[in-house]
Each structure stands twice: as C-alpha cells, then as structure tokens.
Amino acid sequence: MSETKALQSSLVKYTLAGLDCASCAQKIEDSLRNKGMKDAAVNFAAGTILLDPKKLNEAQNIIDGIEPGVILTEDGANQDTAGKDESIKKPVLIMAISLFLLTVGLIFNERLYNTPYHVGEYIVLLSAYFLVGWNVVSTAVRNVFRGNLFDENFLMTVATVGAIAIHQLPEAVGVMLFYYVGEFFQDVAVNRSRRSIKALMDIRPEYANLKTNGDLEKVSPDTVNVGDIIVIKPGEKVPLDGTVEEGTSFLDTSALTGESVPRKAELGEGVLAGMINTGSLLTVRVTKVFEDSSVAKILDLMENAGSRKAPTEKFITKFSQYYTPVVVFGALALAVIPPLVITGATFSEWLYRALILLVISCPCALVVSIPLGYFGGIGGSSKKGILIKGANFLEAMTKLDTVVFDKTGTLTKGVFQVAEIKTYDGCADDELLRYAAIAEVNSNHPIAKSIIEVYQGDIDRERIRDYQEISGHGIKASYEGKEIIAGNDRLLHRENIKHKDCCDVEGTVVYVAVAGKFLGYITIADEIKEDAVEAVANLKKLGVRKTVMLTGDDQSVAEKVASRIGIDAVYANLLPEDKVSKLEELMEGINHKAKLAFVGDGINDAPVITRADIGVAMGGLGSDAAIEAADVVIMDDAPSKMAAVVSVARNTKKIITQNIVLALGIKGVFVVLGSFGMATMWEAVFADVGVALLAVLNATRALKG
C-alpha cells in the first residue's frame, strides 16, 4: 500500500492539450509504457495524463510521433475565452467554404455536364476535399511510415481516395465534409463532458488567509503549516482542515458530501477543506497540511480514477484492435472476389461497396463513449458525496450480491453515552469512572471519549506508564504503580481476573480491574443512524441477496441492532483477524461472478476493506487507513449511500450497454446494406461519426448520476 502511494506521489498530472481521439489516447499510453514509463496513465475522459516529470521531454517526443499537435501542459493551463471562440470559428469557416465549393463543384459534375472528366469539377471539388481532409490525409500518410495502419485517418483516406479514383468526387468530398462536421461536434461534446467533469472537481481552494502578527496575508494553501491560524471569510472556501478557534457559521458541505443542508460550525468543531463558509467570519487552527486535507484526497481519488479501467472498457479496447483489421480485409475481399466470380460484376461497383465498409469500420463510437460513460458515472457519484476510485469498482457494483457492514460508526453513529455504572466490593462510582478514564485517556475510540466526557476530571498523563492498546480486547496501563485494565470480557479472561457473574451483561460494556482486582463495569449505549433501516431496505429492493453485520461488539448488542435494521446475519465478538476469516467464508458462499462489498470506518476495518471485492469506507468520521484501503468512499458517513452507488453503477452500465448495442447494431446494418449495394458513402459516414456523436451525447447522461 505504502509502496503504491509513494509511486503515485512521484507522478505529476499533465493536460494533454488537443487530445480528441480516444484510440490515440490508448496508443499514447501503450507506447509510453513500452518505452519504460510503466506508470504512465492516460485519462481520455479528463484529457490528462499521470507521468514522471523527469520523463516529460521523452514523453512529448513519443506523443509527437503518434499524434502531432497534442501538447503536454501543466494541469489547469486552459485557453482563454477568446481562444475558445477562435477554435470554434476556424472549423465553422472551413466547413462553410467546403460546403460552398461542394455545391459549386456539383455544377461541373458529369450528370449536368456532358464531359465525363471536366477540369472544373476536379479543381473545385479537390479544393473542397483538401480543405476539410488535409489533416486526415497527412496524418494517414505519416502513420503509414510509422507502421500505424488501420486507424480512422488511414481508413477515411483510403475510402475517399478510392472514391475519387472511380470518379465519385462529390461523394468523396461529401464524406470527408460530413466526417469533419461529425468530428467537430464530437469534439464539442467531449470537451463539454470534460468541462462538466472539471466543474465537479472544482473544489480546490485557491488561497488561504493566513493570520500572522494580527495581519492577514493571502497565501497558497500548500504553504500553510499545522498549527497556523487562518481566517475564512463569508463566501470563501475552507482551504485546509482544522478546528474552529473563534466564530460561529454555517458551512455548505455539498462539494464533499453531496448534502444540500448547511452544517453548523462553532468553537472546537472540525471543518474540512472544500467546504464553503456561507455565514459569518471563522477563525480556524490548521490540523492538517494541504496534501493531507480532505479536498486534496478527494481530488487525488478523482484524478486517478481514470487509470483503473473497467473490464468492459478493456474488452472494447482489445476488441477494436481486431475489429478494424477484420473489416478492412473483408472490404479488400469484397472488392476483389465478386468481380472474379460473378458474371457481369464490375470492379468499380464492388470497389465502391468495399469503400463503404472502410468508412464504417472504425470503432470510434465505442472507444470514445465508453471511457466518457464511466468517468461520467464517477463524476455523477461525486456530486452525491460518493468517491469511486476507478471504473473497475463502478462496474463491480453492478454485480453486488452481498453487503457486509461493520456496526459502530457505520450503521450506528459511534456517538456513545455512558448508560450505567455498576461497581463491586465497595468501589464508588466516581472511583470506577476515574480508573476507566485514566486507561482510556490516550485512546481515540468513541467509547473512550464518552467515558472521558462523563468523568471531566484532571488526569496527569505523564504519570501513565506502560500504555498498551490490545487489539480486539481493550487497554492496559500503569498509573501510580497500579496496573489498570479496561476492556471487554475477553480481556479479563486473558488476564485471569475473576469477575464473578458479569460475563453475560448485555450491551457494550467496559470492564475495569485495578491491581488484579475487578472493580465493576460501565455500560455504553450507541445510537442507530437515522438512515440505516432505509439503507438495508433499499439494497434489498435493488436485488442485493444478503446483508451481514461483522462486529467486535457483544453478541446481544449486535443482534438487537441487526433486528432493528433488518440485517440478515450477525457475527459478533470478532477480532480484526476474525473479521477477515469470516469475510472469506462469506465470499466462498457466493457465485464466482457475484461481488461482495464490505462497509466500515475504523482502523481495524482496513484489512477487511482491502480483502473484500469492493471495500467501502465512511469518509467523514472514518480513519485514514480505512479510506486509503477503500475502493469507494462515502463522504457523509450515510449508509443509505450504498444503494445510491449501486444505482449509479447500474445506470452507467446501462448507458454503456446502450452505446455498445447502438454502435455495433447500426454498423452491422450498414455493413450488410453496403455489401449488397443498398447504402451510399453518405449513409456510411453517418454510421461512423454520426453514431459516435450520438454515443458521446448518450454517455454524458452518466454525469447526472
């Protein structure tokens, strides 16, 4: 895990300016990896690449050899509005001039003019042809010398040059013009999707108001240190994670959690980077540097999501490598064989039919729309406060069979309160509470915090010795020469401490023993989350076969919570390693194609999250270890978001399936029509770029979640 993280941290994200070809994106990634840059990852949907900055110049040279005009720039370097207007005006002007020349050229066509090969027709129509087709033809020629055959440029060039050779000039120009128009609108649609995705991730704060010697200085969030004081004015983004030192306000958390209801922030409460201050002035003490802040982690997760491709995406990439050559050789056979074996068949007629096949042989609709669809689904999820770390995990969610939940902090709030104090052998309630607080004072566990909150006395931490947190049991420490034990029943048995008839106490219980003597226990109550019942009910409505709870808590407590929520099976009193073993048993009991998800939040959940097919972490209160290990992060700790993840995943898969059926279906129809001479090149080019455009537009629907 740490090795992977270190590797990722050495990579820098760059923008691939001018990258509008999905198949070229795949070629760029493959070529870079073949040249030793094994960690290079191209994200076509976002138009970015993760790359070692030391290899920048070498990478640019490789890209120039594959797709000239694609430039590596620093992420965030965008054209200004004027530049965007110019980039639109130029192709529109080219299209208009070419259409005018095509119209004029038709006057010289043999159908209106008696001479079959009129020089005017060639001058006008070839001018129109090269105006819209020069980039395609020149790129095709360059690629031939580099050994890159069967790309869309080569296919379009061969098809249109063949049409010119058999004196179908208007169709050659029309096809190239239609192709240019289709590519233009496809680029517009792709760029629109990229802007939408970028807008979803536009949560990075640009500056922080650093307070030094009573003055405010606007600085980059990267330069602020832990312990510094920052001021967040109304309307500003919170630049770093911290705690409120002064002021009370309401914060818009929608960018992080997807929740529209503002959250109140007051003295002592934590705030997260990316939230927006909608009310009064806040003074905040920074608790994390920017690279460790919530917003930095979210951006990192989103930016790296495109490098984890779904099985469908990988299949289509592989499929396209075989599909295009098969169609090309099929077209060659269609041009050569029928004239030799069919009486009266002419070579020009069958060559024309073969050229139609070439036009529709490029799988652009699939190669472009599928990554856009998956990235749109990931972006749509982020709007709901759900971070999915890759398209592979999004697709895995569509096959969800079993969902396993942790209890505390996942299905329950993890906000514990002391419900009962039971003492033995003359021990006073305050004395028992004091010893429990001493043992728990260095722990961050919610149970520990609830005990310390009730005690409210002073504890000299420097006098605590031999502090030991025993996983799945409790805490052992020395204070003023006395050994204190605070934990569950297992801990008492482990330490051979006699505790009378207290083994079967119901609830979450902290047993306390001092100097080998049992003093009593404290019963802790937890509260079930408001949406926990809804979470389980909605998962079952979506067809999830089984819901399970794994917890280290007492069996009776776990069963009580499970029965109220509607959980199918409960396994309690589990150590962290027991959870992994039980999870593996559950995984063996499901179909090999089905998937199991584990939802948890604590440090002890990290191994189980990693082992599950899909690991889900609660990102609001969850530990960094759990979030790091997870494949999906729910930012507002709401278990009901699990059903939302499944819905988004299935909607995305439905859109992608529609695009696959649409593209292959229409192309298949035109392959048959073209082979039997029932389709023209005009219709064939619609089957190529028209379908690609429709597929891209359909893929953008995934952004809505």
Side-chain angles (χ1 to χ4, degrees):
M1 181 76 66
S2 58
E3 212 173 283
T4 306
K5 193 173 181 183
L7 195 61
Q8 286 181 343
S9 63
S10 67
L11 302 177
V12 175
K13 187 171 69 128
Y14 296 94
T15 296
L16 286 163
L19 180 66
D20 298 313
C21 166
S23 59
C24 300
Q26 188 61 48
K27 287 177 186 174
I28 288 171
E29 182 176 282
D30 292 342
S31 297
L32 292 175
R33 291 186 174 186
N34 290 336
K35 296 290 184 180
M37 302 176 214
K38 297 189 181 299
D39 306 307
V42 176
N43 187 335
F44 171 73
T48 60
I49 181 172
L50 286 172
L51 195 65
D52 184 343
K54 296 175 184 176
K55 305 278 189 177
L56 188 61
N57 292 333
E58 184 184 348
Q60 183 64 69
N61 291 334
I62 293 170
I63 291 169
D64 288 341
I66 299 168
E67 189 70 2
V70 173
I71 307 297
L72 282 170
T73 63
E74 289 187 15
D75 183 46
N78 295 316
Q79 293 177 325
D80 57 21
T81 307
K84 289 178 183 176
D85 291 341
E86 288 300 319
S87 66
I88 292 174
K89 286 178 182 177
K90 183 178 178 181
V92 169
L93 183 62
I94 289 173
M95 288 185 283
I97 294 172
S98 181
L99 179 61
F100 173 75
L101 291 173
L102 174 61
T103 306
V104 172
L106 289 172
I107 298 172
F108 298 99
N109 189 260
E110 62 174 319
R111 295 167 192 161
L112 300 176
Y113 200 89
N114 292 330
T115 306
Y117 294 98
H118 194 281
V119 67
E121 179 184 17
Y122 276 84
I123 291 173
V124 175
L125 291 180
L126 287 180
S127 298
Y129 175 83
F130 283 110
L131 189 62
V132 287
W134 174 252
N135 284 337
V136 174
V137 174
S138 58
T139 302
V141 172
R142 281 197 304 269
N143 286 347
V144 167
F145 287 107
R146 296 184 184 121
N148 295 330
L149 297 177
F150 305 127
D151 70 342
E152 57 187 341
N153 298 295
F154 175 78
L155 298 173
M156 288 300 300
T157 300
V158 171
T160 51
V161 168
I164 293 170
I166 59 174
H167 197 214
Q168 296 290 341
L169 271 72
E171 291 213 21
V173 177
V175 165
M176 197 61 89
L177 175 59
F178 195 1
Y179 179 77
Y180 188 95
V181 172
E183 288 289 289
F184 169 74
F185 282 111
Q186 181 178 300
D187 291 346
V188 169
V190 169
N191 289 332
R192 179 174 172 270
S193 298
R194 286 175 176 169
R195 284 196 299 273
S196 299
I197 291 166
K198 192 173 180 64
L200 290 173
M201 298 192 297
D202 187 24
I203 57 176
R204 181 187 174 96
E206 297 176 0
Y207 62 88
N209 299 312
L210 181 63
K211 193 172 185 179
T212 50
N213 301 322
D215 296 325
L216 290 184
E217 181 185 359
K218 235 180 215 185
V219 298
S220 168
D222 298 308
T223 63
V224 181
N225 299 314
V226 173
D228 286 348
I229 301 295
I230 58 173
V231 173
I232 301 122
K233 300 175 183 178
E236 291 184 338
K237 288 178 185 173
V238 177
L240 300 112
D241 294 2
T243 54
V244 177
E245 292 278 303
E246 189 180 333
T248 301
S249 185
F250 284 92
L251 300 176
D252 178 356
T253 67
S254 58
L256 301 182
T257 67
E259 295 298 323
S260 57
V261 180
R263 194 185 94 183
K264 190 176 182 180
E266 49 194 357
L267 183 64
E269 290 198 357
V271 296
L272 300 177
M275 294 178 174
I276 298 173
N277 184 10
T278 62
S280 309
L281 196 75
L282 285 177
T283 302
V284 171
R285 184 176 295 277
V286 176
T287 56
K288 290 181 180 178
V289 294
F290 181 75
E291 64 180 13
D292 295 329
S293 68
S294 302
V295 70
K297 288 179 180 177
I298 291 170
L299 289 169
D300 182 61
L301 291 178
M302 287 291 293
E303 287 161 359
N304 292 328
S307 63
R308 300 181 179 95
K309 294 179 172 60
T312 302
E313 196 173 350
K314 291 178 180 176
F315 169 76
I316 290 299
T317 302
K318 197 76 176 173
F319 170 80
S320 65
Q321 294 173 356
Y322 294 101
Y323 164 81
T324 305
V326 166
V327 176
V328 169
F329 287 115
L332 182 63
L334 189 67
V336 174
I337 296 173
L340 298 177
V341 298
I342 299 175
T343 305
T346 62
F347 178 71
S348 61
E349 177 192 354
W350 286 95
L351 176 60
Y352 180 76
R353 295 184 186 186
L355 295 176
I356 292 172
L357 259 64
L358 289 181
V359 171
I360 61 175
S361 62
C362 183
C364 297
L366 299 174
V367 179
V368 173
S369 66
I370 288 176
L372 274 179
Y374 277 117
F375 210 79
I378 292 169
S381 297
S382 73
K383 287 196 295 185
K384 300 177 185 289
I386 304 161
L387 302 180
I388 302 173
K389 295 185 181 180
N392 51 337
F393 305 123
L394 188 67
E395 183 161 312
M397 274 289 183
T398 63
K399 303 170 184 175
L400 199 59
D401 172 89
T402 302
V403 179
V404 182
F405 293 95
D406 172 51
K407 182 180 78 69
T408 306
T410 302
L411 292 174
T412 63
K413 291 183 178 180
V415 180
F416 292 88
Q417 294 179 332
V418 173
E420 181 188 11
I421 300 175
K422 180 69 175 177
T423 61
Y424 289 83
D425 295 331
C427 179
D429 288 0
D430 289 346
E431 185 183 5
L432 180 70
L433 193 59
R434 176 172 174 268
Y435 280 124
I438 290 169
E440 302 280 10
V441 72
N442 290 315
S443 173
N444 289 319
H445 196 283
I447 290 177
K449 290 180 180 177
S450 69
I451 292 172
I452 294 162
E453 185 179 341
V454 172
Y455 175 61
Q456 292 186 336
D458 293 329
I459 299 172
D460 187 354
R461 295 177 186 238
E462 293 183 2
R463 297 166 72 179
I464 298 174
R465 298 282 185 272
D466 303 323
Y467 178 86
Q468 185 180 0
E469 193 162 334
I470 304 166
S471 181
H473 289 78
I475 292 168
K476 190 176 178 182
S478 294
Y479 189 80
E480 297 179 341
K482 296 178 183 178
E483 185 181 72
I484 304 171
I485 287 171
N488 55 27
D489 183 63
R490 289 194 301 270
L491 183 58
L492 295 184
H493 285 286
R494 169 182 161 146
E495 299 296 324
N496 295 315
I497 294 172
K498 295 179 181 179
H499 48 292
K500 301 180 180 179
D501 55 351
C502 303
C503 287
D504 298 324
V505 178
E506 287 194 5
T508 301
V509 181
V510 177
Y511 296 91
V512 181
V514 178
K517 182 182 177 182
F518 177 63
L519 297 185
Y521 61 82
I522 300 171
T523 305
I524 308 294
D526 193 5
E527 189 178 346
I528 295 173
K529 290 183 179 179
E530 291 85 354
D531 65 333
V533 176
E534 176 193 351
V536 174
N538 287 344
L539 284 171
K540 290 181 177 178
K541 284 179 185 176
L542 289 168
V544 172
R545 183 180 61 86
K546 189 176 184 181
T547 55
V548 181
M549 180 195 292
L550 300 184
T551 178
D553 210 342
D554 181 76
Q555 182 74 34
S556 61
V557 175
E559 288 178 352
K560 189 176 180 181
V561 171
S563 64
R564 289 178 59 188
I565 294 174
I567 296 285
D568 298 322
V570 182
Y571 301 94
N573 297 311
L574 299 176
L575 298 173
E577 56 268 28
D578 297 331
K579 284 187 177 183
V580 175
S581 299
K582 184 56 67 176
L583 187 88
E584 289 175 342
E585 283 181 30
L586 292 168
M587 292 175 74
E588 287 174 6
I590 64 175
N591 186 291
H592 71 281
K593 291 184 179 179
K595 300 296 180 184
L596 178 146
F598 179 84
V599 190
D601 72 310
I603 292 174
N604 62 342
D605 291 329
V608 209
I609 287 172
T610 304
R611 180 65 186 88
D613 293 322
I614 309 159
V616 183
M618 296 296 177
L621 297 174
S623 72
D624 288 346
I627 293 169
E628 187 70 30
D631 308 313
V632 177
V633 181
I634 297 174
M635 291 306 299
D636 63 352
D637 293 346
S640 58
K641 291 288 180 72
M642 272 301 295
V645 180
V646 177
S647 296
V648 168
R650 290 183 181 176
N651 182 53
T652 303
K653 187 64 182 285
K654 182 174 74 173
I655 288 169
I656 286 165
T657 302
Q658 288 170 351
N659 281 344
I660 292 172
V661 172
L662 175 75
L664 294 182
I666 292 180
K667 283 178 181 287
V669 168
F670 277 91
V671 164
V672 174
L673 293 176
S675 300
F676 285 95
M678 299 169 66
T680 66
M681 273 196 176
W682 298 81
E683 293 158 341
V685 79
F686 168 76
D688 180 33
V689 293
V691 173
L693 178 59
L694 291 175
V696 168
L697 293 174
N698 190 40
T700 59
R701 293 195 300 118
L703 280 165
K704 298 176 182 177

